[in-house]
Amino acid sequence: MENERLKQQIEFIVEIDKLKRVMRQSRIIGDIHDELLWENSAEHSWHFAMLAVILGEYADKTVDIGKVMKMALIHDIVEIDAGDTFAYDQLGHLDKAEREGKAASRIFGLLPDNQRDEMMELWMEFEERETNEAQFAAALDLVQPLLQNYYTQGYSWQKNKVTSDQVLARINAATKNSKTLKNFVEWLIHDAVKKGYLQ
Amino acid sequence: MENERLKQQIEFIVEIDKLKRVMRQSRIIGDIHDELLWENSAEHSWHFAMLAVILGEYADKTVDIGKVMKMALIHDIVEIDAGDTFAYDQLGHLDKAEREGKAASRIFGLLPDNQRDEMMELWMEFEERETNEAQFAAALDLVQPLLQNYYTQGYSWQKNKVTSDQVLARINAATKNSKTLKNFVEWLIHDAVKKGYLQ
Ligand SMILES: [Ca+2]
């Protein structure tokens, strides 16, 4: 193929296929006895982007939903090299930023320069949680796995010995741009405790 | 939970988790000897949306990329009820529209009325292939599985006895809004034949 720019873009598109093999600590909702059905990061990213499509009206400060969707789609691509770091893995978080930064440079570096820069900036914007879009995306990225856990009767919480205190401790930082989603998450956790899904 | 609107939205979000279990006739790129790694429709939808993010510049007639991304994210949700209909399955296509229409009514019908209408319209716009966005989305939805096939040495083409004539016959209808992607797909198919991946 002669089109060098398109060639780089296709190389990136083929490389990110690997996200379909990065496994998360979340169960797919459905038959909870089927051990095979853990969620991977590509599926999670699709679901997260769908939350942006459906729940956009709950951003307190205005957001560009197209940008939130893009953040959702690309936010985990670094896991192709860095792996998924479980939200409650303290040790894994010590070098998470370093591992993911290297991964971002390599993977987004496959793209033509202008797109590499755009993707790097968007990913860092999401990580820094400062803009309206990044803060709203953080709320959606919190809600998605909480739903997976709630609707599998707390499967991953129990397997990983996660407590309600640990889950509650993450809420304020993640829901700065959505009072409605903050309330929803608090309701969900208390209901999960009441139902015995979470200690 | 008291918020009735949010309750409907969450019900929809939980329901569409099932798309992660709808299997396609596409192999994930990687170890082609690992029989388990077929692609599901949630992963495909994520990848398709990423093609929109990266290849948007190749639309000949202007498109709203946010809209193309949304189309990608929702286009296969009907498969939760209707199943994936393989592109070359002539029998399956006889009642595809009917099966998928029913599925759209049920699944998008879980949403609050305004969002149900928005999703139904967006899905039908994609199906009808008339707007710039729908025509560009069709090209991306053609390219994504072609890449999966090419980079697994034609695994699914061979398994399903698909010929280059069948693949070539789909190109014109699917690439009305992208000369660049039309050329790319033609190059890819001819190269696949040359390499022996496709008859
Ligand atoms: Ca993650």
Side-chain angles (χ1 to χ4, degrees):
Chain A
M1 188 170 46
E2 281 167 29
N3 184 335
E4 190 56 38
R5 183 174 168 87
L6 180 58
K7 199 172 162 183
Q8 291 179 298
Q9 291 165 323
I10 295 293
E11 206 177 326
F12 172 78
I13 286 166
V14 170
E15 177 66 20
I16 64 173
D17 192 68
K18 293 178 183 162
L19 197 60
K20 299 170 190 169
R21 293 163 173 255
V22 176
M23 301 312 289
R24 292 167 51 80
Q25 295 291 335
S26 277
R27 291 294 306 268
I28 288 178
I29 301 165
D31 179 2
I32 63 164
H33 302 292
D34 184 343
E35 280 297 321
L36 286 174
L37 289 165
W38 290 89
E39 190 187 45
N40 66 56
S41 291
E43 296 166 336
H44 158 69
S45 300
W46 165 77
H47 213 174
F48 175 1
M50 279 302 304
L51 267 73
V53 172
I54 300 301
L55 303 178
E57 68 198 67
Y58 301 120
D60 297 329
K61 285 166 284 173
T62 324
V63 294
D64 169 352
I65 281 294
K67 193 173 178 181
V68 178
M69 285 160 62
K70 268 197 205 179
M71 277 182 182
L73 293 171
I74 71 147
H75 83 294
D76 268 348
I77 285 176
V78 293
E79 294 184 358
I80 288 169
D81 288 354
D84 176 51
T85 307
F86 186 48
Y88 307 96
D89 171 5
Q90 290 186 322
L91 201 64
H93 275 78
L94 290 178
D95 65 345
K96 179 174 183 278
E98 193 194 326
R99 284 182 288 119
E100 293 191 346
K102 272 189 202 162
S105 300
R106 183 188 76 77
I107 303 166
F108 296 132
L110 297 171
L111 287 165
D113 291 357
N114 69 326
Q115 288 190 320
R116 174 201 62 204
D117 294 347
E118 193 203 329
M119 292 295 113
M120 283 294 280
E121 277 165 32
L122 192 64
W123 175 70
M124 290 188 47
E125 183 179 334
F126 172 73
E127 288 292 312
E128 287 166 358
R129 305 279 193 273
E130 280 167 17
T131 62
N132 294 354
E133 281 81 8
Q135 289 180 350
F136 188 63
L140 304 177
D141 194 28
L142 176 72
V143 169
Q144 195 272 343
L146 291 184
L147 288 174
Q148 301 291 129
N149 244 314
Y150 182 88
Y151 285 95
T152 54
Q153 302 176 23
Y155 190 96
S156 169
W157 285 326
Q158 287 158 33
K159 184 170 182 294
N160 292 289
K161 301 189 178 20
V162 175
T163 65
S164 58
D165 286 349
Q166 286 176 290
V167 186
L168 290 166
R170 296 176 60 210
I171 296 181
N172 284 336
T175 56
K176 285 180 185 160
N177 193 15
S178 183
K179 188 84 181 100
T180 303
L181 293 181
K182 183 175 192 287
N183 290 341
F184 171 66
V185 166
E186 285 171 350
W187 171 84
L188 186 107
I189 294 168
H190 290 119
D191 200 57
V193 171
K194 209 165 73 184
K195 290 192 161 82
Y197 301 165
L198 180 61
Q199 297 297 308
Chain B
M1 187 169 48
E2 282 166 27
N3 185 334
E4 190 56 37
R5 183 173 168 86
L6 180 57
K7 199 173 162 181
Q8 290 179 299
Q9 291 164 324
I10 296 293
E11 206 178 326
F12 173 78
I13 287 166
V14 171
E15 178 66 21
I16 64 173
D17 193 68
K18 292 177 183 162
L19 197 61
K20 299 170 190 169
R21 292 163 174 257
V22 176
M23 300 313 289
R24 291 166 52 80
Q25 296 290 338
S26 276
R27 291 295 307 269
I28 288 178
I29 301 165
D31 179 3
I32 63 164
H33 302 292
D34 184 343
E35 280 296 321
L36 286 174
L37 288 165
W38 290 88
E39 191 187 45
N40 67 55
S41 292
E43 296 166 336
H44 158 68
S45 300
W46 165 77
H47 213 174
F48 175 0
M50 278 302 305
L51 266 73
V53 172
I54 301 300
L55 303 178
E57 68 198 67
Y58 301 118
D60 297 330
K61 284 166 285 173
T62 324
V63 293
D64 169 354
I65 281 294
K67 193 173 178 182
V68 177
M69 286 161 60
K70 267 196 205 180
M71 278 182 182
L73 294 172
I74 71 148
H75 82 296
D76 268 348
I77 285 176
V78 294
E79 295 184 357
I80 288 169
D81 288 354
D84 176 51
T85 307
F86 187 47
Y88 307 96
D89 171 6
Q90 290 186 321
L91 201 63
H93 275 77
L94 290 179
D95 64 346
K96 180 173 183 278
E98 193 194 327
R99 285 182 287 118
E100 293 192 346
K102 273 189 200 161
S105 299
R106 183 189 75 78
I107 303 167
F108 295 134
L110 297 171
L111 287 165
D113 291 358
N114 68 327
Q115 288 189 322
R116 174 202 62 204
D117 294 348
E118 193 202 330
M119 292 296 113
M120 284 294 281
E121 277 165 32
L122 191 64
W123 175 70
M124 289 186 50
E125 182 177 336
F126 173 73
E127 288 293 313
E128 287 165 359
R129 304 281 192 274
E130 280 168 17
T131 63
N132 294 354
E133 281 81 8
Q135 289 180 350
F136 188 63
L140 303 177
D141 194 28
L142 175 73
V143 169
Q144 194 273 344
L146 290 185
L147 288 174
Q148 301 292 130
N149 244 316
Y150 183 88
Y151 284 96
T152 54
Q153 301 176 23
Y155 190 96
S156 168
W157 285 326
Q158 289 160 32
K159 183 171 182 295
N160 292 289
K161 299 190 179 18
V162 175
T163 65
S164 59
D165 286 349
Q166 286 177 288
V167 186
L168 290 166
R170 294 176 61 211
I171 295 181
N172 283 337
T175 55
K176 285 179 186 161
N177 193 14
S178 183
K179 188 85 182 99
T180 303
L181 293 181
K182 182 174 192 288
N183 289 341
F184 171 66
V185 165
E186 285 170 351
W187 172 85
L188 186 108
I189 295 168
H190 290 121
D191 200 56
V193 171
K194 210 167 70 183
K195 289 192 160 80
Y197 303 163
L198 179 62
Q199 296 298 307

